[in-house]
Amino acid sequence: MVSVNAGAAWAKGLFPLVGSEGVTAVRVGLAAVLMLAIVRPWRTLPARRDAFNLLVYGLMLGCMNLLIYGAFARIPIGVAVAIEVVGPLAVVVLSSRRARDFAWVALAAFGLWLLAPFHDGVPPLDPLGVLYALGAAFCWAMYIVFGKRVSGMNGSQAVAWGLLAAALFTVPVGVFHAGAGLLAPAVLMGGLAVAVLSSALPYSLEMAALARLPQRVFGILVSAGPAFAALAGYLVLGERLTGMQWLAIVLVVVACGGAAATARRVGGSTRKSDLPT
């Protein structure tokens, strides 16, 4: 969580150079190159039935990164991530449809309502930034759905193929917006740091954590994402949130953690599709 959110804050610092689209292209493109070099997924080609799901999985991954970076460029990182986690919570509700899960979503919705600018002491948010964060929430939900469908494959291979599909979508978008600026040494070096911090390193740490922790515990820990994002925005970028915004983030964190803690168990273990991660 520290790694991925430090990478997000670092990425926002690169936006003035090539825009959020350019930083997304460099991050996803370099992360794909790293994963392809390490995993070499072409040694075992995916089955035909997995190809479509891998393509959609990768496209959702690419769109999610483009949209959330677009949100980061316009609203505080912690607020954007708090909005984005609505997507995984929606997956929880649609996969179980229990009253308890609707209660967690209602708590998260109340937290997001507190972010509305008509409350005293709450600064206005860029409407386009909020829309981008909501779009990223939808893509995150679809990323989980299609990630579950390819979960029968080797995990590293699925991620490598997914990142390749994401790069084939995001890199042309970045080139269109930033052009040759993407090749500037400062952008490439900064993008490499973001690719390692926000993709290669956290993916590897997640695999190690999942091998040692119950998925329920893992989901609860990862639910602290909005709080980590807000801290990274404050420490790296100097983004200061109001007390109301912090309260909203805490409510969203509690809702995500509660949804993970009460996710249904199948065969004695939490179903991965039920987790808000």
Side-chain angles (χ1 to χ4, degrees):
M1 296 306 299
V2 171
S3 178
V4 71
N5 288 294
W10 194 319
K12 186 167 181 174
L14 296 174
F15 288 174
L17 299 178
V18 290
S20 61
E21 299 88 354
V23 175
T24 302
V26 174
R27 172 202 165 173
V28 175
L30 291 178
V33 170
L34 288 173
M35 289 298 295
L36 291 172
I38 294 171
V39 178
R40 292 181 288 178
W42 54 83
R43 294 179 297 179
T44 304
L45 294 177
R48 183 177 298 178
R49 65 179 181 274
D50 293 325
F52 174 77
N53 290 328
L54 278 172
L55 177 62
V56 178
Y57 166 76
L59 289 176
M60 290 299 102
L61 176 62
C63 288
M64 180 174 64
N65 280 278
L66 277 172
L67 291 169
I68 197 59
Y69 274 19
F72 288 169
R74 294 165 175 82
I75 60 179
I77 289 178
V79 174
V81 174
I83 297 172
E84 186 189 24
V85 297
V86 171
L89 277 176
V91 175
V92 171
V93 173
L94 294 176
S95 62
S96 69
R97 300 179 182 177
R98 296 180 304 165
R100 180 185 296 172
D101 292 325
F102 282 99
W104 294 125
V105 173
L107 181 62
F110 178 66
L112 296 179
W113 179 74
L114 293 180
L115 294 175
F118 47 75
H119 299 291
D120 292 336
V122 177
L125 297 174
D126 186 312
L128 186 57
V130 173
L131 287 176
Y132 277 149
L134 289 172
F138 172 79
C139 291
W140 195 355
M142 293 298 98
Y143 166 84
I144 293 172
V145 171
F146 284 90
K148 177 66 175 177
R149 295 183 182 180
V150 300
S151 61
M153 298 176 57
N154 178 282
S156 297
Q157 288 186 339
V159 171
W161 286 119
L163 278 171
L164 176 60
L168 293 176
F169 171 66
T170 58
V171 170
V173 174
V175 171
F176 176 79
H177 283 273
L182 296 178
L183 300 178
V187 174
L188 289 176
M189 293 304 297
L192 180 61
V194 173
V196 172
L197 287 172
S198 292
S199 296
L201 180 59
Y203 290 159
S204 300
L205 291 174
E206 281 183 358
M207 291 180 186
L210 281 169
R212 293 165 174 79
L213 294 173
Q215 290 183 358
R216 181 183 299 258
V217 176
F218 178 84
I220 294 171
L221 293 174
V222 174
S223 298
F228 275 97
L231 286 173
Y234 172 72
L235 294 174
V236 179
L237 301 170
E239 293 181 345
R240 297 180 180 274
L241 303 181
T242 66
M244 187 73 76
Q245 287 175 320
W246 274 110
L247 175 60
I249 288 173
V250 168
L251 292 177
V252 171
V253 167
V254 170
C256 292
T262 59
R264 288 184 298 175
R265 289 178 174 271
V266 177
S269 62
T270 307
R271 295 195 318 178
K272 191 170 184 178
S273 63
D274 287 340
L275 294 179
T277 58

